[in-house]
Amino acid sequence: MMAFFLLLAVIVVLWFVVTAVRGKREAAAPPAWTPDEEPVTGPVPSRHVAGAGARDIPSLYPDFYHGVLFAVGKEASPQNLLALIEYVGQMVTANAVGWFHQTGDMQAYERFMDRFRGGGGDEQKLETIPDDMIDFLWAWRPSTHQALRDWIPELQDALTGPDSRLWRFPGELPFGIWSMEE
């Protein structure tokens, strides 16, 4: 029992440290991309903030994740949020890789993987990596817009439905849900 509380205390302390470091990095971040700029051929900047030309899919963080956790009877703790965000990031990646291969755009595939392999770069907020992935796909091809609009509700249904892996874990969600055996 003492080990559980010690682990919980470590998670909370790490959460506060990560949040503090991110706050300092945000202050030094470059200005956000505007839709009037030329198309991006390198890494695609995040556009999930509201603005002209921004995607019309609401950001996943935090409301989408909170809704999923509530639907599966989980507390919106830092551990549960980050485990769910990691899981959703893997799901977005799987779809993105399929789309890149379907279109034969291996340059986009390489840019996506360079940017997001391993959970994203140091400058990215962990909470918004799946949103940044969606922004990348949104900016990559207009043909992804409707596919993404359709996929997000399907994703929510899959995460909260009776066959969801999220139901398998009493208490806190573990990291690595994507790679766990059926």
Side-chain angles (χ1 to χ4, degrees):
M1 186 59 123
M2 182 60 109
F4 171 76
F5 288 114
L6 182 59
L7 178 61
L8 186 59
V10 169
I11 290 171
V12 169
V13 168
L14 285 174
W15 179 259
F16 285 116
V17 169
V18 168
T19 303
V21 169
R22 286 189 196 134
K24 290 180 183 178
R25 288 184 181 165
E26 285 177 16
W33 177 81
T34 61
D36 298 329
E37 294 175 357
E38 291 296 314
V40 177
T41 57
V44 177
S46 174
R47 297 187 311 148
H48 59 270
V49 294
R55 73 183 203 200
D56 59 17
I57 300 169
S59 292
L60 300 180
Y61 184 79
D63 294 337
F64 177 86
Y65 300 115
H66 284 229
V68 168
L69 290 171
F70 178 78
V72 297
K74 304 283 183 210
E75 179 184 347
S77 68
Q79 170 68 30
N80 284 343
L81 281 168
L82 290 176
L84 178 58
I85 289 165
E86 175 194 46
Y87 188 36
V88 169
Q90 292 294 329
M91 294 173 149
V92 174
T93 299
N95 278 282
V97 169
W99 291 337
F100 297 138
H101 285 286
Q102 183 179 7
T103 61
D105 191 343
M106 293 298 101
Q107 290 179 338
Y109 168 81
E110 288 300 323
R111 287 193 323 268
F112 184 90
M113 296 310 287
D114 286 346
R115 178 163 178 189
F116 298 112
R117 183 179 290 126
D122 291 340
E123 74 285 353
Q124 291 178 295
K125 292 182 177 181
L126 297 174
E127 302 87 12
T128 62
I129 288 174
D131 279 307
D132 291 343
M133 291 173 167
I134 291 169
D135 290 341
F136 182 103
L137 295 169
W138 191 271
W140 169 57
R141 278 188 182 220
S143 61
T144 63
H145 297 185
Q146 190 58 48
L148 288 164
R149 287 182 196 114
D150 294 341
W151 184 69
I152 298 300
E154 292 171 8
L155 173 63
Q156 186 169 13
D157 290 344
L159 290 169
T160 60
D163 295 330
S164 172
R165 290 183 177 193
L166 301 180
W167 291 106
R168 297 182 189 167
F169 306 101
E172 298 252 308
L173 296 173
F175 290 107
I177 296 171
W178 180 262
S179 60
M180 291 181 175
E181 296 290 323
E182 288 291 327

